[in-house]
PDB file of all heavy atoms in Angstrom:
ATOM      1  N   ILE X 337      11.419   6.560 -81.182  1.00 98.00           N
ATOM      2  CA  ILE X 337      10.943   5.292 -81.856  1.00 98.00           C
ATOM      3  C   ILE X 337      12.153   4.390 -82.000  1.00 98.00           C
ATOM      4  O   ILE X 337      13.225   4.789 -82.512  1.00 98.00           O
ATOM      5  CB  ILE X 337      10.217   5.571 -83.183  1.00 98.00           C
ATOM      6  CG1 ILE X 337       8.984   6.406 -83.017  1.00 98.00           C
ATOM      7  CG2 ILE X 337       9.957   4.258 -83.911  1.00 98.00           C
ATOM      8  CD1 ILE X 337       8.291   6.755 -84.294  1.00 98.00           C
ATOM      9  N   GLN X 338      12.004   3.115 -81.602  1.00 98.00           N
ATOM     10  CA  GLN X 338      13.092   2.156 -81.794  1.00 98.00           C
ATOM     11  C   GLN X 338      12.526   0.945 -82.527  1.00 98.00           C
ATOM     12  O   GLN X 338      11.827   0.124 -81.980  1.00 98.00           O
ATOM     13  CB  GLN X 338      13.608   1.751 -80.390  1.00 98.00           C
ATOM     14  CG  GLN X 338      14.810   0.781 -80.500  1.00 98.00           C
ATOM     15  CD  GLN X 338      15.372   0.461 -79.085  1.00 98.00           C
ATOM     16  OE1 GLN X 338      14.675   0.526 -78.110  1.00 98.00           O
ATOM     17  NE2 GLN X 338      16.649   0.012 -79.090  1.00 98.00           N
ATOM     18  N   PRO X 339      12.890   0.842 -83.835  1.00 98.00           N
ATOM     19  CA  PRO X 339      12.536  -0.351 -84.572  1.00 98.00           C
ATOM     20  C   PRO X 339      13.244  -1.556 -83.874  1.00 98.00           C
ATOM     21  O   PRO X 339      14.292  -1.458 -83.221  1.00 98.00           O
ATOM     22  CB  PRO X 339      13.058  -0.090 -85.952  1.00 98.00           C
ATOM     23  CG  PRO X 339      13.255   1.365 -86.008  1.00 98.00           C
ATOM     24  CD  PRO X 339      13.537   1.809 -84.632  1.00 98.00           C
ATOM     25  N   GLU X 340      12.727  -2.748 -84.134  1.00 97.00           N
ATOM     26  CA  GLU X 340      13.275  -3.925 -83.524  1.00 97.00           C
ATOM     27  C   GLU X 340      14.712  -4.139 -83.924  1.00 97.00           C
ATOM     28  O   GLU X 340      15.038  -4.046 -85.126  1.00 97.00           O
ATOM     29  CB  GLU X 340      12.432  -5.176 -83.854  1.00 97.00           C
ATOM     30  CG  GLU X 340      12.792  -6.415 -83.005  1.00 97.00           C
ATOM     31  CD  GLU X 340      11.749  -7.517 -83.159  1.00 97.00           C
ATOM     32  OE1 GLU X 340      11.256  -7.730 -84.341  1.00 97.00           O
ATOM     33  OE2 GLU X 340      11.429  -8.147 -82.152  1.00 97.00           O
ATOM     34  N   MET X 395       2.452  11.452 -83.882  1.00 98.00           N
ATOM     35  CA  MET X 395       2.867  11.204 -85.254  1.00 98.00           C
ATOM     36  C   MET X 395       1.867  11.932 -86.166  1.00 98.00           C
ATOM     37  O   MET X 395       2.259  12.440 -87.263  1.00 98.00           O
ATOM     38  CB  MET X 395       2.821   9.721 -85.553  1.00 98.00           C
ATOM     39  CG  MET X 395       3.948   8.956 -84.858  1.00 98.00           C
ATOM     40  SD  MET X 395       5.595   9.450 -85.338  1.00 98.00           S
ATOM     41  CE  MET X 395       5.790   8.645 -86.923  1.00 98.00           C
ATOM     42  N   THR X 399       4.092  14.192 -88.703  1.00 98.00           N
ATOM     43  CA  THR X 399       4.050  13.848 -90.145  1.00 98.00           C
ATOM     44  C   THR X 399       3.004  14.534 -90.847  1.00 98.00           C
ATOM     45  O   THR X 399       2.795  14.331 -92.063  1.00 98.00           O
ATOM     46  CB  THR X 399       3.976  12.343 -90.351  1.00 98.00           C
ATOM     47  OG1 THR X 399       2.687  11.920 -89.970  1.00 98.00           O
ATOM     48  CG2 THR X 399       5.015  11.520 -89.566  1.00 98.00           C
ATOM     49  N   GLY X 402       0.641  12.013 -92.140  1.00 96.00           N
ATOM     50  CA  GLY X 402       1.370  11.080 -92.944  1.00 96.00           C
ATOM     51  C   GLY X 402       1.973  11.639 -94.224  1.00 96.00           C
ATOM     52  O   GLY X 402       2.618  11.004 -95.011  1.00 96.00           O
ATOM     53  N   ASN X 404       4.345  13.932 -94.422  1.00 97.00           N
ATOM     54  CA  ASN X 404       5.761  14.206 -94.270  1.00 97.00           C
ATOM     55  C   ASN X 404       6.434  13.179 -93.400  1.00 97.00           C
ATOM     56  O   ASN X 404       6.637  13.375 -92.215  1.00 97.00           O
ATOM     57  CB  ASN X 404       5.946  15.588 -93.653  1.00 97.00           C
ATOM     58  CG  ASN X 404       5.200  16.702 -94.378  1.00 97.00           C
ATOM     59  OD1 ASN X 404       5.322  16.825 -95.588  1.00 97.00           O
ATOM     60  ND2 ASN X 404       4.438  17.503 -93.651  1.00 97.00           N
ATOM     61  N   PRO X 405       6.764  12.030 -93.967  1.00 98.00           N
ATOM     62  CA  PRO X 405       7.343  10.904 -93.163  1.00 98.00           C
ATOM     63  C   PRO X 405       8.589  11.379 -92.421  1.00 98.00           C
ATOM     64  O   PRO X 405       9.336  12.234 -92.876  1.00 98.00           O
ATOM     65  CB  PRO X 405       7.632   9.841 -94.207  1.00 98.00           C
ATOM     66  CG  PRO X 405       6.764  10.228 -95.364  1.00 98.00           C
ATOM     67  CD  PRO X 405       6.666  11.654 -95.357  1.00 98.00           C
ATOM     68  N   ILE X 406       8.792  10.757 -91.263  1.00 98.00           N
ATOM     69  CA  ILE X 406      10.018  10.944 -90.485  1.00 98.00           C
ATOM     70  C   ILE X 406      11.016   9.849 -90.830  1.00 98.00           C
ATOM     71  O   ILE X 406      10.699   8.728 -90.914  1.00 98.00           O
ATOM     72  CB  ILE X 406       9.668  10.868 -88.968  1.00 98.00           C
ATOM     73  CG1 ILE X 406       8.781  12.015 -88.577  1.00 98.00           C
ATOM     74  CG2 ILE X 406      10.950  10.803 -88.111  1.00 98.00           C
ATOM     75  CD1 ILE X 406       8.265  11.934 -87.141  1.00 98.00           C
ATOM     76  N   GLN X 407      12.272  10.325 -91.039  1.00 98.00           N
ATOM     77  CA  GLN X 407      13.355   9.303 -91.320  1.00 98.00           C
ATOM     78  C   GLN X 407      14.073   8.953 -89.986  1.00 98.00           C
ATOM     79  O   GLN X 407      14.466   9.820 -89.231  1.00 98.00           O
ATOM     80  CB  GLN X 407      14.336   9.886 -92.285  1.00 98.00           C
ATOM     81  CG  GLN X 407      15.416   8.845 -92.685  1.00 98.00           C
ATOM     82  CD  GLN X 407      16.240   9.224 -93.885  1.00 98.00           C
ATOM     83  OE1 GLN X 407      15.890  10.136 -94.590  1.00 98.00           O
ATOM     84  NE2 GLN X 407      17.319   8.446 -94.186  1.00 98.00           N
ATOM     85  N   LEU X 408      14.154   7.655 -89.702  1.00 98.00           N
ATOM     86  CA  LEU X 408      14.811   7.159 -88.516  1.00 98.00           C
ATOM     87  C   LEU X 408      16.322   6.968 -88.788  1.00 98.00           C
ATOM     88  O   LEU X 408      16.784   6.898 -89.902  1.00 98.00           O
ATOM     89  CB  LEU X 408      14.150   5.924 -88.028  1.00 98.00           C
ATOM     90  CG  LEU X 408      12.623   5.981 -87.832  1.00 98.00           C
ATOM     91  CD1 LEU X 408      12.121   4.655 -87.206  1.00 98.00           C
ATOM     92  CD2 LEU X 408      12.286   7.151 -86.848  1.00 98.00           C
ATOM     93  N   ASP X 410      18.051   4.337 -88.701  1.00 97.00           N
ATOM     94  CA  ASP X 410      18.390   3.118 -89.448  1.00 97.00           C
ATOM     95  C   ASP X 410      18.030   3.302 -90.945  1.00 97.00           C
ATOM     96  O   ASP X 410      18.174   2.338 -91.723  1.00 97.00           O
ATOM     97  CB  ASP X 410      17.675   1.898 -88.885  1.00 97.00           C
ATOM     98  CG  ASP X 410      16.164   1.962 -89.082  1.00 97.00           C
ATOM     99  OD1 ASP X 410      15.583   2.992 -89.541  1.00 97.00           O
ATOM    100  OD2 ASP X 410      15.479   0.886 -88.712  1.00 97.00           O
ATOM    101  N   SER X 412      15.062   3.881 -92.252  1.00 97.00           N
ATOM    102  CA  SER X 412      13.668   3.633 -92.519  1.00 97.00           C
ATOM    103  C   SER X 412      12.814   4.880 -92.301  1.00 97.00           C
ATOM    104  O   SER X 412      13.269   5.860 -91.588  1.00 97.00           O
ATOM    105  CB  SER X 412      13.108   2.461 -91.695  1.00 97.00           C
ATOM    106  OG  SER X 412      13.133   2.761 -90.341  1.00 97.00           O
ATOM    107  N   GLU X 413      11.600   4.906 -92.800  1.00 98.00           N
ATOM    108  CA  GLU X 413      10.679   6.072 -92.618  1.00 98.00           C
ATOM    109  C   GLU X 413       9.447   5.596 -91.886  1.00 98.00           C
ATOM    110  O   GLU X 413       9.080   4.435 -91.891  1.00 98.00           O
ATOM    111  CB  GLU X 413      10.267   6.629 -93.994  1.00 98.00           C
ATOM    112  CG  GLU X 413      11.371   7.347 -94.684  1.00 98.00           C
ATOM    113  CD  GLU X 413      10.890   8.062 -95.982  1.00 98.00           C
ATOM    114  OE1 GLU X 413       9.811   7.674 -96.478  1.00 98.00           O
ATOM    115  OE2 GLU X 413      11.625   8.978 -96.368  1.00 98.00           O
ATOM    116  N   ARG X 414       8.799   6.586 -91.218  1.00 98.00           N
ATOM    117  CA  ARG X 414       7.584   6.305 -90.476  1.00 98.00           C
ATOM    118  C   ARG X 414       6.642   7.400 -90.753  1.00 98.00           C
ATOM    119  O   ARG X 414       6.901   8.604 -90.614  1.00 98.00           O
ATOM    120  CB  ARG X 414       7.831   6.215 -88.968  1.00 98.00           C
ATOM    121  CG  ARG X 414       8.658   5.064 -88.474  1.00 98.00           C
ATOM    122  CD  ARG X 414       7.940   3.730 -88.685  1.00 98.00           C
ATOM    123  NE  ARG X 414       8.710   2.655 -88.157  1.00 98.00           N
ATOM    124  CZ  ARG X 414       9.736   2.025 -88.772  1.00 98.00           C
ATOM    125  NH1 ARG X 414      10.094   2.452 -89.990  1.00 98.00           N
ATOM    126  NH2 ARG X 414      10.355   1.060 -88.187  1.00 98.00           N
ATOM    127  N   LYS X 415       5.395   7.019 -91.149  1.00 98.00           N
ATOM    128  CA  LYS X 415       4.213   7.907 -91.127  1.00 98.00           C
ATOM    129  C   LYS X 415       3.488   7.804 -89.791  1.00 98.00           C
ATOM    130  O   LYS X 415       3.001   8.773 -89.265  1.00 98.00           O
ATOM    131  CB  LYS X 415       3.338   7.702 -92.375  1.00 98.00           C
ATOM    132  CG  LYS X 415       4.024   7.891 -93.686  1.00 98.00           C
ATOM    133  CD  LYS X 415       3.019   7.641 -94.841  1.00 98.00           C
ATOM    134  CE  LYS X 415       3.726   7.887 -96.171  1.00 98.00           C
ATOM    135  NZ  LYS X 415       2.789   7.588 -97.285  1.00 98.00           N
ATOM    136  N   PHE X 416       3.361   6.514 -89.372  1.00 98.00           N
ATOM    137  CA  PHE X 416       2.772   6.188 -88.123  1.00 98.00           C
ATOM    138  C   PHE X 416       3.571   5.102 -87.475  1.00 98.00           C
ATOM    139  O   PHE X 416       4.719   4.827 -87.960  1.00 98.00           O
ATOM    140  CB  PHE X 416       1.313   5.816 -88.244  1.00 98.00           C
ATOM    141  CG  PHE X 416       0.449   6.999 -88.593  1.00 98.00           C
ATOM    142  CD1 PHE X 416       0.174   7.423 -89.919  1.00 98.00           C
ATOM    143  CD2 PHE X 416      -0.141   7.767 -87.588  1.00 98.00           C
ATOM    144  CE1 PHE X 416      -0.580   8.552 -90.187  1.00 98.00           C
ATOM    145  CE2 PHE X 416      -0.876   8.961 -87.817  1.00 98.00           C
ATOM    146  CZ  PHE X 416      -1.144   9.307 -89.147  1.00 98.00           C
ATOM    147  N   ILE X 417       3.120   4.330 -86.480  1.00 98.00           N
ATOM    148  CA  ILE X 417       3.888   3.369 -85.798  1.00 98.00           C
ATOM    149  C   ILE X 417       3.778   1.989 -86.446  1.00 98.00           C
ATOM    150  O   ILE X 417       2.608   1.518 -86.707  1.00 98.00           O
ATOM    151  CB  ILE X 417       3.493   3.312 -84.328  1.00 98.00           C
ATOM    152  CG1 ILE X 417       3.569   4.680 -83.641  1.00 98.00           C
ATOM    153  CG2 ILE X 417       4.377   2.267 -83.532  1.00 98.00           C
ATOM    154  CD1 ILE X 417       4.891   5.347 -83.711  1.00 98.00           C
ATOM    155  N   ASN X 418       4.887   1.360 -86.735  1.00 98.00           N
ATOM    156  CA  ASN X 418       4.834   0.019 -87.341  1.00 98.00           C
ATOM    157  C   ASN X 418       4.823  -1.063 -86.285  1.00 98.00           C
ATOM    158  O   ASN X 418       5.259  -0.863 -85.174  1.00 98.00           O
ATOM    159  CB  ASN X 418       6.078  -0.178 -88.194  1.00 98.00           C
ATOM    160  CG  ASN X 418       6.079   0.653 -89.535  1.00 98.00           C
ATOM    161  OD1 ASN X 418       5.102   1.325 -89.789  1.00 98.00           O
ATOM    162  ND2 ASN X 418       7.121   0.562 -90.241  1.00 98.00           N
ATOM    163  N   ASP X 419       4.351  -2.199 -86.687  1.00 98.00           N
ATOM    164  CA  ASP X 419       4.467  -3.352 -85.780  1.00 98.00           C
ATOM    165  C   ASP X 419       5.913  -3.608 -85.430  1.00 98.00           C
ATOM    166  O   ASP X 419       6.844  -3.458 -86.243  1.00 98.00           O
ATOM    167  CB  ASP X 419       3.903  -4.640 -86.470  1.00 98.00           C
ATOM    168  CG  ASP X 419       2.419  -4.633 -86.604  1.00 98.00           C
ATOM    169  OD1 ASP X 419       1.792  -3.783 -86.006  1.00 98.00           O
ATOM    170  OD2 ASP X 419       1.858  -5.428 -87.396  1.00 98.00           O
ATOM    171  N   MET X 420       6.171  -4.011 -84.181  1.00 98.00           N
ATOM    172  CA  MET X 420       7.469  -4.284 -83.565  1.00 98.00           C
ATOM    173  C   MET X 420       8.267  -3.020 -83.293  1.00 98.00           C
ATOM    174  O   MET X 420       9.426  -3.093 -82.804  1.00 98.00           O
ATOM    175  CB  MET X 420       8.281  -5.262 -84.460  1.00 98.00           C
ATOM    176  CG  MET X 420       7.534  -6.502 -84.859  1.00 98.00           C
ATOM    177  SD  MET X 420       6.648  -7.314 -83.474  1.00 98.00           S
ATOM    178  CE  MET X 420       8.084  -7.945 -82.577  1.00 98.00           C
ATOM    179  N   ASP X 421       7.697  -1.799 -83.535  1.00 98.00           N
ATOM    180  CA  ASP X 421       8.368  -0.588 -83.054  1.00 98.00           C
ATOM    181  C   ASP X 421       8.158  -0.449 -81.569  1.00 98.00           C
ATOM    182  O   ASP X 421       7.039  -0.775 -81.053  1.00 98.00           O
ATOM    183  CB  ASP X 421       7.721   0.644 -83.735  1.00 98.00           C
ATOM    184  CG  ASP X 421       8.207   0.853 -85.168  1.00 98.00           C
ATOM    185  OD1 ASP X 421       9.156   0.149 -85.619  1.00 98.00           O
ATOM    186  OD2 ASP X 421       7.600   1.676 -85.882  1.00 98.00           O
TER     187      ASP X 421
END
Side-chain angles (χ1 to χ4, degrees):
I337 295 177
Q338 184 176 23
E340 193 167 40
M395 294 295 283
T399 70
N404 306 310
I406 293 173
Q407 184 165 349
L408 305 185
D410 67 355
S412 63
E413 290 187 340
R414 294 293 185 277
K415 296 180 179 180
F416 288 90
I417 306 302
N418 288 358
D419 289 347
M420 311 311 292
D421 283 349

